Amino acid sequence: MGTSGLAADDAPGPVDVAAVLGAGALAPSSYNAQPWRLCRHDDAVEVHGEPDRALPVADPENRELRMACGAAITNLRLAVRAQGRRAHVRLLPDPDDPWFFGTVTAGGNLPATATEAALAHVIPHRRTDRSALSGHGVTARLREEIRDAAQRERSWAIFVDDRADRRELEAITARAHTRQQSDPAFRAEWRRWVGAEGDRGTGLPRELGPREPRPDGRWRLRDFGADGDRQDERRPAVADDDPALLVLATTLDRPLAHLHAGQALQHVLLLATLRGLAASFVAPPLEVADTRSEMRTLLGRALWPQVLLRLGIRHRAVPRPPRRAPDETR
């Protein structure tokens, strides 16, 4: 993706490479580990996984790592489209490089749609919001937009609304959290990435990490520190001001499906940001094999759950998390 432009059938102009790489590097990732390497090669940006930034305890099969790289691919694609160029995406495989996940290549001229331009514009403004969220802002129209966005990325968006299902999902989340907190290796890995002083470029510094229990804390047990303090257990199992709960799922559970899920995740997160909503992850039930299987059963066993999100109205500004310098991603 050279700055001098590309030879193409419609004589495209130059691409702002720094903007494209910068957008890719703003994707979400577990613990803000940023487990990708963005490599520019002439007219393309390759996305590679970074094994040194993997989470071998929380994510032993690198499923979350691949989703983070899929989210970066969505950002790269939108950044290219925002510059009025076609974005050609190639995903797996590369038999010679198991850590290669995809390439985004700038093609000929093609004006971005209004939606593409808007989604690209909010990439720098997307945040993971760990505060209490109210699901009242997740309207029926927005739900349809979210379902459509997920389907465009070969994934499924499923809202968990039934009260019994939400209670069961809460119980699954609590079991997963307890399992993880009983594992010293998990706690050590968590402390490596969360709660440090200052800006190290990755991880979650103290101001973005553990918080005091808040009304919907049963969905955010990990946010209260490594011990998962549950001081708010006396709240009703389902409250009127609870966040909306969204599961992103795929038909298969293979590396390519994980990349698709990551692309869907970022598309949905950017759409929520555009509509003035906040989101954060409920990770524990998807990081423990037994509880992930229970979640799959809750969904009817036809789909594989990949992400569980809280969605709702944002009540505060969220500071930007640390990011690696751009030259560290190339």
Side-chain angles (χ1 to χ4, degrees), residues 302-322:
L303 299 171
W304 288 92
Q306 305 293 355
V307 182
L308 174 58
L309 290 175
R310 300 162 54 248
L311 287 174
I313 297 173
R314 170 171 288 160
H315 297 291
R316 65 183 182 94
V318 179
R320 179 175 174 173

Side-chain angles (χ1 to χ4, degrees), residues 79-296:
V80 170
R81 293 291 298 118
Q83 295 185 40
R85 299 285 289 274
R86 298 179 187 273
H88 303 294
V89 178
R90 179 175 73 89
L91 303 180
L92 302 171
D94 183 345
D96 298 325
D97 184 0
W99 292 99
F100 166 80
F101 295 136
T103 302
V104 179
T105 304
N109 292 327
L110 180 68
T113 67
T115 298
E116 287 172 327
L119 292 175
H121 177 74
V122 299
I123 288 173
H125 305 290
R126 184 210 60 81
R127 300 286 188 272
T128 298
D129 192 335
R130 296 169 178 84
S131 63
L133 302 177
S134 168
H136 293 306
V138 187
T139 63
R141 181 175 179 179
L142 179 55
R143 287 173 179 237
E144 285 304 311
E145 286 188 278
I146 287 172
R147 293 187 185 102
D148 181 63
Q151 288 184 353
R152 288 174 181 269
E153 310 292 353
R154 302 184 183 182
S155 301
W156 299 89
I158 303 162
F159 285 91
V160 183
D161 296 320
D162 181 81
R163 296 175 73 90
D165 288 346
R166 288 173 69 99
R167 284 192 292 268
E168 178 59 23
L169 187 53
E170 180 188 345
I172 291 171
T173 300
R175 287 194 292 273
H177 178 75
T178 299
R179 180 84 62 86
Q180 289 182 320
Q181 296 305 319
S182 67
D183 182 355
F186 174 86
R187 293 164 67 91
E189 183 175 84
W190 188 88
R191 290 192 176 98
R192 175 190 172 195
W193 292 99
V194 179
E197 296 287 352
D199 185 344
R200 300 182 301 176
T202 59
L204 294 173
R206 188 175 300 276
E207 62 268 24
L208 291 177
R211 298 181 177 277
E212 292 301 316
R214 293 186 182 182
D216 64 347
R218 59 191 176 283
W219 301 112
R220 302 179 298 111
L221 302 176
R222 191 179 294 173
D223 292 347
F224 305 148
D227 296 320
D229 186 356
R230 299 193 69 194
Q231 296 178 20
D232 61 348
E233 282 183 325
R234 290 175 292 181
R235 278 179 57 84
V238 180
D240 290 339
D241 58 349
D242 263 358
L245 296 177
L246 172 65
V247 178
L248 295 177
T250 53
T251 304
L252 301 177
D253 193 36
R254 298 173 182 172
L256 183 58
H258 302 157
L259 291 172
H260 287 154
Q263 290 177 287
L265 168 64
Q266 184 64 352
H267 196 155
V268 167
L269 291 176
L270 293 176
L271 180 59
T273 303
L274 183 62
R275 301 295 183 243
L277 297 180
S280 70
F281 301 89
V282 183
L286 292 159
E287 293 175 343
V288 175
D290 290 348
T291 53
R292 187 173 181 228
S293 180
E294 292 178 47
M295 277 191 65
R296 188 171 183 234

